[in-house]
């Protein structure tokens, strides 16, 4: 019987997750539930029979989550995420970065018997002095932070591009649009994190942080790579351990610029090019983690999912046929000036 299913050129390789990565994530999450941030090591957690987290919800009700460290690690390995409800842990987020509960969805304008609308406004995490308060007086939506929507979208789009990879060799605009948006979101999520850090420092949400307007040198149109300096300048903890992640960020940034501005106006990409781009997306998750580590900021389930996205592999239709290495005059490298393309080399961002 013939198989009429479309051939998937890209597929996830669900090989076992490296357990040391899951251990580091579990350690980080637990330590950053503590105030001040804890420094318990992985070996110390392993020696405990179990550990507990006591917390209060928004209504003041007391809760306790208790689990063995290895059970938490196994859960991360199996799900490639972290479902905190399973362990009765508090919401996994950084309050000032993610603001997961601060949003308005409104489906009305004026309610009887009133003759004027009631305006709803959000308080941002940057305090009363912050000049903007997103608000609605009619149908619409508003967010105090767009972190979580972008994080969710990154995971969704990555799975869509892989799951519908039969269209990587067709003219279907939906698949290509998903790919373009995925690469855009990779850059946007880093940019928004750095801008939130700048605002948090400017409006003094952490007294230990430094805000030197002249040194930070924020200006319209500045390069995002220059904004990486803000991490060290504000926290006095330079982002000096993210070379590999920034290399991948710069590669995706160059592709994002091409796909947005189309200079040059032509474009080409092999399925193997796309495979390489998709395998750089988890690096964006790790870059965000390393930035958050400098800020002493908690992770989110979505960021953990981005970091732990499975490796993407390419499959040709006939595995028995000869396959040669891709030359520079084929695929993406054939439609760009390689001398001007972002190089895979680290930048000095320690200042």
């Amino acid at each position: 019987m013939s198989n009429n299913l479309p051939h998937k050129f890209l597929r996830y390789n669900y090989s076992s997750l490296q357990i040391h990565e899951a251990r580091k994530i579990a350690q980080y999450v637990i330590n950053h539930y503590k105030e001040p941030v804890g420094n318990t090591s992985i070996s110390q957690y392993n020696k405990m029979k179990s550990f507990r987290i006591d917390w209060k919800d928004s209504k003041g009700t007391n809760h306790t989550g208790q689990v063995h460290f290895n059970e938490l690690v196994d859960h991360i390995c199996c799900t490639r995420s972290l479902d905190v409800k399973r362990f009765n842990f508090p919401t996994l987020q950084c309050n000032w970065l993610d603001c997961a509960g601060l949003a308005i969805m409104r489906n009305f304008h004026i309610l009887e018997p009133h003759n004027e609308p009631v305006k709803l406004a959000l308080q941002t995490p940057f305090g009363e002095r912050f000049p903007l308060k997103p608000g609605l007086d009619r149908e619409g939506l508003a967010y105090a932070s767009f972190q979580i929507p972008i994080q969710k979208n990154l995971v969704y789009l990555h799975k869509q591009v892989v799951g519908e990879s039969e269209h990587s060799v067709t003219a279907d605009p939906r698949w290509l649009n998903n790919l373009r948006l995925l690469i855009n979101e990779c850059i946007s999520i880093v940019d928004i994190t750095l801008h939130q850090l700048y605002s948090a420092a400017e409006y003094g949400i952490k007294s230990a942080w430094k805000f030197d307007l002249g040194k930070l040198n924020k200006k319209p149109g500045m390069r995002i790579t220059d904004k990486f300096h803000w991490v060290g300048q504000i926290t006095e903890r330079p982002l000096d351990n993210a070379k590999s992640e920034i290399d991948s960020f710069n590669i995706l940034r160059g592709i994002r610029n091409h796909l947005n501005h189309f200079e040059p106006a032509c474009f080409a990409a092999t399925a193997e090019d796309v495979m390489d781009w998709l395998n750089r997306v988890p690096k964006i998750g790790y870059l965000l983690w390393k930035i958050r580590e400098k800020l002493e900021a908690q992770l989110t389930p979505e960021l953990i999912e981005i970091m732990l996205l499975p490796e993407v592999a390419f499959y040709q239709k006939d595995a028995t046929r000869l396959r040669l290495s891709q030359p520079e005059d084929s695929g993406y490298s054939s439609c760009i000036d390689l001398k001007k393309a972002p190089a895979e080399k680290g930048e000095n961002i320690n200042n």
Side-chain angles (χ1 to χ4, degrees):
M1 185 173 66
S2 63
N3 183 358
N4 294 321
L5 294 175
H7 178 77
K8 306 290 185 181
F9 291 93
L10 302 172
R11 305 174 200 172
Y12 283 127
N13 177 12
Y14 288 99
S15 57
S16 298
L17 187 67
Q18 295 292 324
I19 194 168
H20 70 274
E21 289 300 313
R23 284 174 177 158
K24 287 192 291 184
I25 290 170
Q27 176 204 21
Y28 186 92
V29 166
I30 303 163
N31 280 342
H32 283 73
Y33 268 135
K34 301 173 183 177
E35 288 289 346
V37 174
N39 59 1
T40 306
S41 68
I42 291 174
S43 60
Q44 288 173 318
Y45 279 123
N46 274 325
K47 292 175 183 177
M48 299 178 188
K49 290 184 178 179
S50 65
F51 64 88
R52 57 185 287 170
I53 296 175
D54 297 312
W55 57 284
K56 290 184 179 183
D57 60 26
S58 58
K59 298 179 180 178
T61 304
N62 292 317
H63 298 268
T64 297
Q66 189 163 341
V67 67
H68 192 280
F69 184 73
N70 286 335
E71 184 182 349
L72 185 63
V73 171
D74 288 344
H75 168 74
I76 294 172
C77 284
C78 291
T79 64
R80 293 178 179 266
S81 186
L82 176 52
D83 180 5
V84 294
K85 292 182 180 178
R86 175 170 176 172
F87 303 103
N88 198 29
F89 288 172
T91 300
L92 190 63
Q93 67 168 25
C94 169
N95 290 334
W96 66 268
L97 272 174
D98 303 306
C99 309
L102 293 180
I104 301 172
M105 283 73 178
R106 179 167 173 159
N107 63 359
F108 65 92
H109 178 37
I110 299 176
L111 295 177
E112 294 182 355
H114 303 286
N115 295 319
E116 294 182 358
V118 175
K119 183 178 179 180
L120 304 177
L122 289 173
Q123 176 68 56
T124 70
F126 307 125
E128 289 291 340
R129 293 192 300 116
F130 189 71
L132 303 175
K133 289 183 174 57
L136 297 170
D137 76 336
R138 61 198 66 211
E139 299 85 352
L141 51 83
Y143 290 90
S145 168
F146 220 64
Q147 279 273 352
I148 297 300
I150 295 178
Q151 292 173 27
K152 289 179 180 293
N153 211 24
L154 266 169
V155 175
Y156 169 79
L157 289 167
H158 197 277
K159 293 178 179 179
Q160 287 293 108
V161 171
V162 174
E164 298 179 353
S165 63
E166 67 272 21
H167 296 301
S168 62
V169 298
T170 73
D172 188 330
R174 294 170 298 178
W175 183 86
L176 186 57
N177 286 341
N178 282 339
L179 175 64
R180 291 179 65 194
L181 184 54
L182 171 63
I183 295 173
N184 266 277
E185 297 287 54
C186 287
I187 310 309
S188 295
I189 191 63
V190 176
D191 211 6
I192 189 176
T193 300
L194 295 171
H195 280 285
Q196 285 176 287
L197 168 61
Y198 185 97
S199 294
E202 182 177 10
Y203 293 96
I205 72 165
K206 288 198 175 182
S207 58
W209 285 357
K210 310 295 183 183
F211 185 78
D212 185 330
L213 187 60
K215 192 173 182 180
L216 294 173
N217 195 29
K218 184 180 182 182
K219 54 190 175 183
M222 72 182 297
R223 298 186 309 165
I224 189 171
T225 49
D226 291 333
K227 299 173 189 175
F228 284 123
H229 295 286
W230 293 347
V231 176
Q233 290 165 344
I234 290 171
T235 68
E236 297 186 320
R237 303 178 68 198
L239 188 62
D240 52 7
N241 61 337
K243 177 187 179 300
S244 174
E245 292 81 4
I246 291 175
D247 288 344
S248 283
F249 173 82
N250 284 332
I251 295 295
L252 294 178
R253 179 172 56 89
I255 299 163
R256 186 281 306 264
N257 291 344
H258 188 180
L259 290 173
N260 280 0
H261 305 295
F262 278 100
E263 173 55 35
C266 55
F267 179 76
T270 66
E272 287 167 284
D273 287 330
V274 176
M275 175 194 70
D276 175 70
W277 301 343
L278 292 171
N279 284 330
R280 294 182 185 277
V281 173
K283 291 282 190 178
I284 302 302
Y286 279 98
L287 174 58
L288 293 166
W289 182 11
K290 289 185 175 182
I291 292 173
R292 288 187 177 223
E293 188 273 330
K294 304 298 183 182
L295 314 183
E296 296 189 336
Q298 182 61 283
L299 295 174
T300 67
E302 291 80 11
L303 281 177
I304 294 172
E305 219 174 328
I306 294 168
M307 289 188 285
L308 302 185
L309 282 166
E311 181 185 24
V312 179
F314 169 79
Y315 290 82
Q316 66 180 29
K317 272 192 172 183
D318 187 348
T320 65
R321 291 195 176 187
L322 176 67
R323 190 165 195 89
L324 303 176
S325 299
Q326 183 173 315
E328 286 189 354
D329 60 355
S330 174
Y332 189 62
S333 61
S334 70
C335 65
I336 58 171
D337 185 344
L338 292 175
K339 295 179 181 179
K340 296 181 180 179
E344 279 196 80
K345 59 184 180 180
E347 296 191 31
N348 181 7
I349 55 170
N350 299 335
N351 297 328

